[in-house]
Amino acid sequence: MNLAGERQQEFTPRQHAVLERALELLVAGGEKALTTAGVARAANCSKESLYKWFGDRDGLLAAMIAHQASKVRAFSDDGAPMDHDRFRAHLTGFAQDLLEVLASDVSLALNRLAIGQASREESRLGQLLVEQGRRRIDQSAGALLDAGRRRGLVAFEDGDEAYRTLYGLVVRDLHVRMLLGEEGARQRETFAARAEQAVEKFFALYGVWEMKGRALA
């Protein structure tokens, strides 16, 4: 099992550094600042290298989004033993990572840009955010929930519904408030407690021991 402390590794360290610079440009200057020449200059690399690594502008955007999504720790089940406490720690780590990523300047800039372009037929940013960002996170979290179910730690019939419940408990209306710039919505010092509370409520709904306890009461 490889979740705690590990990240998805799809790019080389050099490519990660270039994507970080591209994301910084996007936050500082918006979409107009995100040109091949601008990224190459900021990252101290050639335009040829950018094309080789990421392809066209959509490819660069997709890579930027995948890089940002990789900051939520990935999970793959290798069959190693996992008890209730370890599973709970994995869920809490996922929840806190998710809040941290959603609250970042980069994610907020990408989402605001996608919302602003939603009415443009030629814009693919919203689709890229779903495919390269949200879907990657969803799949990893789904694998974690399935691992917990196989080990008898949680019980549910519909994995998608269970995940949507977890996501809703973690995020609630916080992301919308962040996007709207509400003062206090991005208080990172509260994220650990929010993650713990969300996982506690999730176990109350799906945890096997909680279910047994209610049956015996």
Side-chain angles (χ1 to χ4, degrees):
M1 222 163 299
N2 59 350
L3 183 137
E6 296 186 14
R7 308 291 186 186
Q8 291 179 352
Q9 297 295 324
E10 297 183 354
F11 306 110
T12 67
R14 176 60 175 142
Q15 289 165 349
H16 276 297
V18 169
L19 292 172
E20 280 292 330
R21 294 298 295 142
L23 289 168
E24 289 170 8
L25 281 178
L26 178 67
V27 171
E31 184 182 11
K32 292 181 180 179
L34 196 64
T35 65
T36 304
V39 173
R41 224 174 10 253
N44 194 27
C45 69
S46 67
K47 290 192 289 185
E48 290 74 20
S49 292
L50 290 179
Y51 287 120
K52 177 182 178 182
W53 293 336
F54 311 118
D56 59 13
R57 190 170 181 275
D58 277 355
L60 175 60
L61 276 169
M64 290 164 62
I65 294 165
H67 170 69
Q68 185 67 7
S70 74
K71 295 174 183 178
V72 177
R73 280 169 281 188
F75 176 87
S76 61
D77 189 1
D78 60 7
M82 180 166 59
D83 60 12
H84 175 89
D85 289 343
R86 190 175 182 191
F87 180 57
R88 187 188 192 96
H90 287 330
L91 286 176
T92 304
F94 163 79
Q96 189 166 352
D97 280 357
L98 180 61
L99 290 171
E100 290 284 354
V101 168
L102 291 178
S104 68
D105 290 338
V106 167
S107 290
L108 291 174
L110 284 167
N111 277 277
R112 286 169 178 153
L113 183 59
I115 292 168
Q117 294 183 357
S119 61
R120 301 184 197 172
E121 291 185 4
E122 72 278 7
S123 175
R124 293 194 62 240
L125 183 55
Q127 181 182 350
L128 290 172
L129 278 171
V130 172
E131 292 176 352
Q132 302 297 326
R134 177 67 184 266
R135 191 167 295 163
R136 288 167 179 261
I137 293 171
D138 293 353
Q139 289 172 346
S140 179
L144 174 57
L145 292 179
D146 284 341
R149 178 170 60 175
R150 285 194 296 273
R151 288 162 177 79
L153 302 172
V154 287
F156 50 81
E157 293 183 2
D158 188 327
D160 289 339
E161 181 180 353
Y163 172 64
R164 286 192 295 270
T165 299
L166 175 63
Y167 189 95
L169 290 170
V170 174
V171 178
R172 294 182 284 182
D173 66 341
L174 196 60
H175 196 211
V176 173
R177 290 162 53 201
M178 291 174 185
L179 287 168
L180 294 174
E182 181 181 317
E183 186 177 354
R186 297 171 67 189
Q187 293 179 333
R188 285 181 165 81
E189 64 272 18
T190 69
F191 289 172
R194 285 180 179 273
E196 291 279 358
Q197 291 166 5
V199 171
E200 183 73 27
K201 292 175 181 177
F202 183 78
F203 272 112
L205 293 170
Y206 295 102
V208 170
W209 288 110
E210 282 75 1
M211 292 177 182
K212 289 180 179 178
R214 287 198 296 269
L216 293 173

